[in-house]
Structures are given as structure tokens and as C-alpha cells.
Amino acid sequence: MVAGHEATSAEDFVALALGIDRELFTGTPNESPMDREARMDAASAILAELYEDDPAAWRYARELLRTAPVPLRRPAPRPRTRVVRSAVA
């Protein structure tokens, strides 16, 4: 038990002990693109703070991102296509 929460697995215990929300770094299968973008922005900011403040938690969170079952990388921006309209005379 960590801070009043019961861990059901070793991973849960580590997440509770380090204070890391696993879903923030692993994602959820049905999240919308907008939700994923917001989550990834938050995860990036938290990773930057962890890097400075808590190297052990940073390594754990980084590993969660690396092994997440949900694709977490932002899709590459699509090249913009230009619509050419012909002038009608």
C-alpha cells in the first residue's frame, strides 16, 4: 500500500511509489487525436521536469513511453496540397 492506494502488481507499486500516472505515458487505445496531443504535451513537460528533479522517475517514465502499446509519436505533418482552381470564363 502506498499513500492509501493498494498496488495490484509490481508495476502498480512502482508507479505509486514514484507518483507517475502510467496512462499519461502509455496512452489509452481509444483516445482521440486531440486527447493524445494534449496528453503528449503534458507528458513531455513532466519528463523535462523529472529529468532535472528525479532521475529514477525520469528513467521509469521514459521506459513507459518507449514500451507503450499505443503509438505515442505524433504523426508526421502531411504536406499541404494546393488546390488549383481554373478560371471559368
Side-chain angles (χ1 to χ4, degrees):
M1 186 170 276
V2 176
H5 299 281
E6 187 170 340
T8 57
S9 69
E11 285 183 353
D12 285 347
F13 180 79
V14 171
L16 286 170
L18 294 175
I20 292 176
D21 178 5
R22 288 179 49 89
E23 279 189 3
L24 178 63
F25 294 97
T26 60
T28 58
N30 296 321
E31 70 186 347
S32 71
M34 191 166 70
D35 288 342
R36 182 180 67 185
E37 186 172 337
R39 180 179 53 73
M40 288 303 296
D41 287 344
S44 294
I46 290 170
L47 270 178
E49 288 179 25
L50 289 174
Y51 183 79
E52 296 293 324
D53 300 336
D54 190 344
W58 173 76
R59 284 189 295 276
Y60 178 71
R62 184 187 61 180
E63 187 65 18
L64 285 175
L65 275 174
R66 194 177 74 71
T67 61
V70 177
L72 298 179
R73 301 231 189 288
R74 290 184 182 147
R78 290 184 183 176
R80 293 186 180 199
T81 55
R82 218 171 141 200
V83 176
V84 178
R85 297 180 188 203
S86 59
V88 177

